[in-house]
Amino acid sequence: MVTVSVPEKTYQVQILKGMRHEIGKRIQQVWSTRQVLVMTDENVAALYLSDTVTQLQAAGYQVTTLVLPAGEHSKSLACLEKAIARLAEKYFTRADGVIALGGGVIGDLAGLTAATYMRGIAFIQIATSLTAQVDSSVGGKTAINLGQTKNIMGTFYQPDLVLIDPTYLKTLANRDLVEGYAEVVKSSALAGGEFWQLTGRIQTVNDILTNASELITQSVTYKAKIVMQDERETGIRKYLNFGHTIGHAIELLAAGGLRHGEAVSIGMVAITKRFVAENVSSFEFLQALSQRLRVVGLPITSALVSQPAMIAQLAHDKKNLSGILQLVAVKEPGQPVIIKKSLAEMTEFIEGAS
């Protein structure tokens, strides 16, 4: 268990194998009996929704469900409107709550739904994907996409509880599991030390599953430490965007051809190559980073990185402050730094290591 404490909220991230059979009991520890909306996607619904609803009803909760299409396109204004309309239709009040049952897309959308309905109702995350378990379910970021801009509309809104059961991962396709592992490697690079050594021992997809509890706990522990120091991303929380500036841009340009974690994997290697060329990051770190990603089947290169459209997309990055991007470099494992580059410099910067 990891405790996250920020100025207006303290909550637990509970990590335990088999916990998906104790959902009602776990939620009773933080919520009184109330109406709840369980938001999920079609893939997760087929596997876990019925059992989850049964447990919640047995614990005394009045359950409404909303099942959305799986995929990034559900992080949209249309789906946000649909979720809020469902709450209004069922006469939800500020005493009720929203539960996200799913991965990062559902977690982001459900969090924004809870944050905006009646200016804020209670919210719980049940994270079923590795991406959600190690990253997106913790820290309070909620968002949807607008057009070709990722996560541009959102807020910081902390949950009341995060439940993580590593056994959910057994039903993920290999590609879905591995894309989440990119976020684990990212956190281990930022943290350094024993966590970085742990990811160095992961050599196969099966190793990810075998070591899932420790990988999740280390990731959540590191992220919680950062979030508790900088909830609103005004300082060191920007470190968590390592690989994401380029990653988000090429993810959008790939139009569904790249998963989020795959794009982040490419983004981490691409940005590190550029910083090796500028003598900020070491070549040894680049090699070790690339090996950790490549060995489980993550992509580390893409022709999209050097396209003019990718560089143009950087203007929409949330770390663009008046034309200045705040890029994350890792000098050595455990040594992240922020490097500022103007948008005007980015073409030369990107092409310099191509």
Side-chain angles (χ1 to χ4, degrees), residues 100-112:
L101 175 68
V105 169
I106 288 297
D108 282 2
L109 178 63
L112 188 57

Side-chain angles (χ1 to χ4, degrees), residues 283-298:
F283 181 69
E284 291 74 22
F285 169 67
L286 172 61
Q287 286 184 307
L289 174 67
S290 300
Q291 173 64 12
R292 281 163 170 76
L293 300 167
R294 188 192 301 113
V295 76
V296 297
L298 280 162

Side-chain angles (χ1 to χ4, degrees), residues 72 107 155 198 211 215 227 265 268 273 280 282 284-285 333 347 353:
E72 187 75 15
T155 185
L198 173 61
N211 294 277
L215 292 168
V227 169
S265 176
M268 286 190 290
K273 281 183 178 178
V280 174
S282 75
E284 291 74 22
F285 169 67
T347 298

Side-chain angles (χ1 to χ4, degrees), residues 104-163:
V105 169
I106 288 297
D108 282 2
L109 178 63
L112 188 57
T113 299
T116 52
Y117 182 73
M118 290 189 171
R119 299 190 179 93
I121 66 174
F123 171 51
I124 283 174
Q125 291 260 22
I126 304 175
T128 63
S129 74
L130 188 57
T131 301
Q133 292 182 353
V134 302
D135 184 51
S136 61
S137 68
V138 179
K141 279 189 176 181
T142 75
I144 57 172
N145 306 329
L146 287 177
Q148 288 299 301
T149 307
K150 189 174 173 68
N151 294 338
I152 196 67
M153 179 178 175
T155 185
F156 292 94
Y157 195 70
Q158 302 291 345
D160 288 348
L161 176 69
V162 179
L163 298 179

Side-chain angles (χ1 to χ4, degrees), residues 106-318:
I106 288 297
D108 282 2
L109 178 63
L112 188 57
T113 299
T116 52
Y117 182 73
M118 290 189 171
R119 299 190 179 93
I121 66 174
F123 171 51
I124 283 174
Q125 291 260 22
I126 304 175
T128 63
S129 74
L130 188 57
T131 301
Q133 292 182 353
V134 302
D135 184 51
S136 61
S137 68
V138 179
K141 279 189 176 181
T142 75
I144 57 172
N145 306 329
L146 287 177
Q148 288 299 301
T149 307
K150 189 174 173 68
N151 294 338
I152 196 67
M153 179 178 175
T155 185
F156 292 94
Y157 195 70
Q158 302 291 345
D160 288 348
L161 176 69
V162 179
L163 298 179
I164 296 175
D165 183 346
T167 66
Y168 281 125
L169 303 178
K170 293 180 179 180
T171 52
L172 289 180
N174 276 3
R175 186 179 181 188
D176 295 323
L177 178 71
V178 167
E179 73 130 343
Y181 183 65
E183 293 285 0
V184 178
V185 173
K186 177 202 77 175
S187 294
S188 77
L190 296 170
E194 292 182 5
F195 191 7
W196 179 246
Q197 297 305 317
L198 173 61
T199 55
R201 295 192 293 273
I202 302 298
Q203 298 296 310
T204 66
V205 174
N206 191 59
D207 286 347
I208 299 173
L209 287 171
T210 302
N211 294 277
S213 293
E214 182 63 17
L215 292 168
I216 294 164
T217 300
Q218 291 271 16
S219 298
V220 170
T221 299
Y222 178 75
K223 184 166 187 181
K225 181 179 74 172
I226 294 292
V227 169
M228 286 191 288
Q229 295 177 72
D230 179 22
E231 181 187 9
R232 301 281 172 160
E233 200 173 328
T234 59
I236 64 170
R237 187 167 180 175
K238 293 172 185 174
Y239 292 160
L240 300 175
N241 294 310
F242 177 48
H244 284 63
T245 297
I246 290 175
H248 279 167
I250 64 170
E251 182 183 355
L252 283 164
L253 292 176
L258 287 172
R259 305 283 176 84
H260 173 71
E262 293 168 345
V264 168
S265 176
I266 294 165
M268 286 190 290
V269 172
I271 202 77
T272 302
K273 281 183 178 178
R274 274 74 188 171
F275 282 124
V276 168
E278 294 197 348
N279 296 314
V280 174
S281 300
S282 75
F283 181 69
E284 291 74 22
F285 169 67
L286 172 61
Q287 286 184 307
L289 174 67
S290 300
Q291 173 64 12
R292 281 163 170 76
L293 300 167
R294 188 192 301 113
V295 76
V296 297
L298 280 162
I300 58 172
T301 61
S302 170
L304 293 171
V305 172
S306 297
Q307 288 188 4
M310 192 285 293
I311 296 170
Q313 185 65 37
L314 298 179
H316 297 291
D317 190 273
K318 294 185 297 300

Side-chain angles (χ1 to χ4, degrees), residues 3 39 47 76 81 86 97 130 144 147 221 224 281 293 299 327-328 331 337 342:
T3 299
M39 292 177 60
L47 294 165
S76 66
E81 182 179 6
R86 181 65 59 87
L130 188 57
I144 57 172
T221 299
S281 300
L293 300 167
L327 304 177
V328 184
K331 293 182 176 182
V337 293
S342 70

